[in-house]
Amino acid sequence: MLYHMELSTVKRDEMRDITREIKNLVTESSVQSGIALVYCPHTTAGIAINENADPDVKRDVLMRFDEVYPWEHPKYRHMEGNTASHLKSITCGPSQHIIIQDGRLLLGKWQGIYFCEFDGPRSREYYVKIMQG
């Protein structure tokens, strides 16, 4: 089953928790054992799995991304002016695989799934492929 999902981001950089949406799709699919692949088709956004208990983790991650990849750099040449967002998305990655066991995502106690925006605000999309097996 392939699901097309949409969201709108409100900041230039943000980590949007999409765990609940993915869990709902797994329930809807009735798959008891398999894999959920979450994929972002954008070059300035990505998908990550990380802690979802303390909001300071998201703040800290985004802060360090900005320190490592500053928005402005004298050697950037990309005409759109968003080189930092491309570098952040390469580091984050475009997808994550999550095991489905007993009809549930096999996430750690503190883990959540995030859509990571690095060039917002924008209307975005992502895909979820749920595979049995």
Side-chain angles (χ1 to χ4, degrees):
M1 288 143 262
L2 179 65
Y3 299 92
H4 175 252
M5 308 296 287
E6 297 179 351
L7 57 81
S8 293
T9 60
V10 296
K11 299 177 185 173
R12 182 178 74 193
D13 295 295
E14 69 180 274
M15 294 175 67
R16 175 80 59 86
D17 188 344
I18 57 172
T19 310
R20 179 170 299 175
E21 289 86 347
I22 310 306
K23 285 181 176 181
N24 290 343
L25 294 176
V26 170
T27 299
E28 180 183 320
S29 76
S30 299
V31 169
Q32 293 299 300
S33 178
I35 298 287
L37 167 64
V38 184
Y39 171 73
C40 171
H42 302 287
T43 60
T44 58
I47 304 293
I49 295 177
N50 213 297
E51 180 177 327
N52 68 351
D54 182 349
D56 283 337
V57 172
K58 293 189 300 187
R59 186 198 68 79
D60 293 349
V61 167
L62 293 174
M63 176 194 67
R64 286 296 291 143
F65 268 140
D66 277 342
E67 290 173 356
V68 173
Y69 305 119
W71 194 253
E72 294 183 24
H73 189 285
K75 293 183 180 180
Y76 288 164
R77 296 184 61 178
H78 182 45
M79 67 180 193
E80 289 181 32
N82 63 351
T83 296
S85 62
H86 290 280
L87 294 168
K88 292 173 187 179
S89 72
I90 289 169
T91 302
C92 177
S95 64
Q96 294 290 326
H97 292 82
I98 305 100
I99 297 169
I100 300 169
Q101 186 61 40
D102 299 324
R104 295 183 11 242
L105 294 171
L106 197 57
L107 290 169
K109 182 176 183 177
W110 305 111
Q111 287 183 318
I113 306 164
Y114 291 95
F115 184 94
C116 300
E117 173 65 76
F118 300 120
D119 196 23
R122 292 182 183 243
S123 294
R124 296 293 200 172
E125 62 185 350
Y126 63 96
Y127 294 92
V128 181
K129 177 76 173 178
I130 299 179
M131 299 165 278
Q132 189 164 329

